[in-house]
Amino acid sequence: MRIETLAVHAGLRIDATTGAVAPPLHTATTFEHAPDSTYPRGFLYSRTANPNRNALEECLAELESGAAAAAFASASAATAAVFQALAPRDHVVAPLDAYFGTGKLLRDVFAPWGLAVDFVDMTDPAAVKAALRPATKVVWIETPSNPLWRVTDIAAVAALAHGAGARCVCDNTAATSVLQRPLALGADLVVYATTKYLGGHGDVTGGAVVAGRRDTFFERIRAIQISAGAIPSPFDCWLVRRGLRTLPWRMRAHSDNALRVATFLAAHPRVEAVHYPGLASHPEHAVAKRQMSGFGGMLSVQVNGGRDAAFAVEGKVRLFTCATSFGGTESLLEHRASVEGAATRSPDNLLRLSIGLEHPDDLIDDLAQALG
Ligand SMILES: *Cc1c(COP(=O)(O)O)cnc(C)c1O
């Protein structure tokens, strides 16, 4: 079935006892067993499995054409579960340009724990190849990457990883399974912040790991999910599953709006640079066109005049809200360097824009008046 249909139906059934069409919220922590201590209905204790989490995981796996999915309390917990499934002294190749929290987690938590990590420019296959070692177990990619929206050639990096006996894990948060299919391009696992587009309404924090194969590595991630217990609540799962119903249609609208805004900004005299994979000026536009069916709702803009000029725009926007995160219906804007602090690689005059589902002309009018 096609993705729009899966987004509406996957993992959901009419409730057998009430006929409820929308899925009931199951807050029970424990489930009745049979007198012989078996669980004929499949549920034992809510950390182990819960009907709302099962529905979400089934849907996430189907949307990705994957074999299985594990939902977590945040993408950071999902990311940590992948690294916890490795062993001390294993080696990870990770992107220089990636979600700030992923690099921080590797440096602050997993390097002291014993993982060896090299950060490389994932847009340069020669640099990826040079970083691979016999101990390399995971090559982590994130594309388009946050906050410069650089594009990694998933098929090329996955082939390099496999050639070295490593797995390729792709953080697909910015593109989603609607616009980009990492498993089909060779990735082994896909990671999501469901906090962003999958939840889609800025009202739930969550993460997920989706696996192409139900192999021993995924079983380890599943065991970490259950034993370490960084699970999403039933209501979190319910909210993400609800958000997923409209994901394909939202991603198309986010992409259309963002291309309109990016095109406007690229022609504006107060703008130094626009970073959006859908623009012909983007350094990996050709790769993006090949591996994405749309370019997503995220873009960054560097304004003329440095940090103060960026702050001036923040002070003048009316429709955009100055806030972190992305993927909701409302447009957001933030000065990424301020959020990331001293270790940031984000340029001082850069503003990151999450283009929402407002009318694009209203967004353009707001940016026009704010840029002055
Ligand atoms: C937001 C984000 C994360 C972290 O998500 P949390 O749910 O806040 O842990 C990871 N990767 C990417 C690409 C993100 O945008």
Side-chain angles (χ1 to χ4, degrees), residues 72-79 98-102 140 142-146 149 171-174 191-196 204-208 298 324-326 336 352:
F72 288 86
S74 68
S76 302
T79 302
Y99 177 67
F100 193 70
T102 304
W140 187 278
E142 181 189 318
T143 180
S145 68
N146 195 341
W149 316 111
D171 184 332
N172 200 33
T173 296
V191 168
Y192 283 109
T194 57
T195 314
K196 314 291 170 46
V204 57
T205 299
M298 296 305 298
T324 196
S325 199
F326 63 89
R336 205 53 209 161
R352 187 182 81 176

Side-chain angles (χ1 to χ4, degrees), residues 188-267:
D188 302 282
L189 295 168
V190 178
V191 168
Y192 283 109
T194 57
T195 314
K196 314 291 170 46
Y197 290 110
L198 277 50
H201 296 75
D203 54 10
V204 57
T205 299
V209 180
V210 187
R213 279 165 292 121
R214 204 186 280 265
D215 58 7
T216 53
F217 193 69
F218 180 74
E219 290 310 326
R220 240 181 106 63
I221 291 168
R222 172 72 76 201
I224 290 161
Q225 175 202 34
I226 293 171
S227 298
I231 49 157
S233 75
F235 188 47
D236 291 345
C237 297
W238 190 95
L239 280 171
V240 175
R241 182 63 193 85
R242 177 190 165 109
L244 284 172
R245 290 169 180 243
T246 52
L247 179 70
W249 301 100
R250 286 188 286 108
M251 289 316 293
R252 254 162 247 157
H254 283 296
S255 298
D256 290 349
N257 281 2
L259 184 60
R260 289 278 310 275
V261 172
T263 305
F264 161 76
L265 289 171

Side-chain angles (χ1 to χ4, degrees), residues 166-191:
R167 287 179 177 77
C168 177
V169 183
C170 180
D171 184 332
N172 200 33
T173 296
T176 80
S177 50
V178 178
L179 305 180
Q180 181 168 274
R181 315 287 299 171
L183 296 180
L185 293 167
D188 302 282
L189 295 168
V190 178
V191 168

